[in-house]
Structure formats: C-alpha cells, structure tokens
Amino acid sequence: MARKILAAGNWKMNKTPSQTKALIAEMREACKSETVDVLLCVPAICIPAAVEAAAGSNIQIGAENMYFEESGAYTGEISPEMIVDAGATYVIMGHSERRDYFGESNEDVNKKVLKALEHNLVPVMCCGESLTQREQGITMDWIRQQVKIGMIGVSAEDAVKVVIAYEPIWAIGTGKTATAEQAEEVCKGIRDLIRELYGDAVAEEIRILYGGSVNPGNAAELFAKEDIDGGLVGGASLKTSFGEIVNYNK
Ligand code: 13P
C-alpha cells in the first residue's frame, strides 16, 4: 500500500500562541517519524508561533478553518492567502463543530475545498454522521452526500490531494471510539465513492482518515485497517503523548 499514514492533530479552541510554542518545542522530538506524516492544525492566531516552533522538524502546520473568498469585508474570517503567508500548508474544513455551531453547509465546504486547492493548501475535508443517523441506518447515504457535494468541481488531478476525514459525531470528544470495523466500513465506503467519481487511481491514492477519540491505545488497530490512512485527533493531540500516535507502529 503506497499511501503514507497521516497523524493529524486538531487543537480546536485550545492553546495560546505562547503555549503553542512551548508545546511544539516538546513535541518535536516525540513526533519524529520517517514513515508517518505529522500535522498539527492550530487556532489561526497560533499559526505563526506554531510554524516558528516546528521549523526544521517533520511537523507540518495547518489551519482549522478558512473562508472561501479571496479577501474583503468578511469581519472575523481568515483567507487562504493569509494562511499560506503564515506558513501553514493544510486547512481543515467542514468539521462537525463548524457545521453544528456555525451553520457550515456542504455547499460552503465545497467552496472552501475548491478555494484551498487553488492556493495549494491541502484541504482536510470532514464528514460524519450523528448517532441518530447511525441508528436510522442512513450513515453511508449521509456521508456519500457530504463527500459528493464537497467534491463538486474538483478535478481528478486535484482530488488526490484532498484528505478526507471521517469523524462520526457521536465519537468526538466522548471517549467512545468507533470500533476499528465500524471506522473501516465507512472509510471503505468513502473510497468506493471516490472510485465511482474518479476511478481506481485516485481512489487508491487519496488519503482517508478516521477521527473520534483516537488515542495512543487505539491508534495502531485503527491505522492497520486497509482503508484508514491515519487519524484526525482532537484531545490527544494536545499532549506530548501525541508522539505515541505518530509512532503507533513502534
Ligand atoms: P477527539 O479526538 O477529541 O474525539 O476529537 C476528534 C476531532 O474532532 C478531531 O477533529
């Protein structure tokens, strides 16, 4: 399997710029890996501090959100150009917290995916079902709709650059991880959808992550699954022990 595992952290609304500097200084050593890509997505205001603290290490820095316009009267938003200029290389979009608390739609996510690609930022596009949707048996229908709309207008050449993160909402911050089988089932479903949309080559290359209560104790089992190419990690990425997730295979 040619896909490289990506261990990605999402710090959410945690850490100040000075705390960011201190934590990444500690993490540099713990997160060393030749076989796994390492990414920390941090609050916008912490990006410069994070980029500086991670310089010369294998840790890449990403943003947690981005607006889909170039610039202008959008008070409080940050643009792709700002993110790139600050030295970040990835950006999360469509996280369930953005969808639930800030009303982000599939159409918004699609505009963000296209805009990020235009600026050579790697979109980490999130999708995931609620517990009710899982119980109603519509998980895969829901996820297919989120991913399909998110990818509208994305060429095959660009599609391979996108990282898709499957994060069941009921598993986020709850300590209730999806079983490796449940996570694999949906990640495989997403890969099958990508195959329908873009063909085999893109489906084999695109990275699909699992997120939701990933920790040093369960990362190895999850990442060993054929269609799970790493994790998007919340709480457990705020500690130096995130390095144990990066080095899950040691
Ligand atoms: P937790 O790892 O804290 O469950 O958060 C997952 C998540 O939302 C990452 O984006």
Side-chain angles (χ1 to χ4, degrees), residues 78-93:
I78 61 166
S79 73
E81 192 186 5
M82 293 172 193
I83 296 172
V84 171
D85 188 71
T89 47
Y90 286 68
V91 54
I92 298 174
M93 46 202 57

Side-chain angles (χ1 to χ4, degrees), residues 226-242:
E226 192 174 336
D227 292 291
I228 302 179
D229 307 316
L232 185 55
V233 184
S237 72
L238 290 161
K239 299 180 223 153
T240 314
S241 55
F242 180 62

Side-chain angles (χ1 to χ4, degrees), residues 132-218:
T132 308
Q133 289 161 341
R134 177 159 283 266
E135 286 168 356
Q136 288 169 332
I138 60 163
T139 296
M140 215 50 235
D141 301 300
W142 184 260
I143 301 286
R144 282 176 62 93
Q145 180 156 325
Q146 287 184 320
V147 174
K148 242 175 161 169
I149 297 175
M151 298 295 280
I152 287 174
V154 177
S155 67
E157 193 192 330
D158 276 343
V160 288
K161 302 174 193 161
V162 177
V163 174
I164 298 174
Y166 166 57
E167 302 203 304
I169 298 169
W170 47 272
I172 295 177
T174 56
K176 205 173 150 191
T177 323
T179 64
E181 289 68 32
Q182 285 172 320
E184 166 63 15
E185 187 185 12
V186 177
C187 290
K188 181 179 183 302
I190 295 171
R191 201 175 303 285
D192 289 343
L193 169 61
I194 296 296
R195 188 170 287 112
E196 285 170 33
L197 296 174
Y198 294 104
D200 278 339
V202 175
E204 288 313 311
E205 203 176 325
I206 198 167
R207 290 199 281 190
I208 303 172
L209 312 183
Y210 165 78
S213 300
V214 175
N215 61 49
N218 59 26

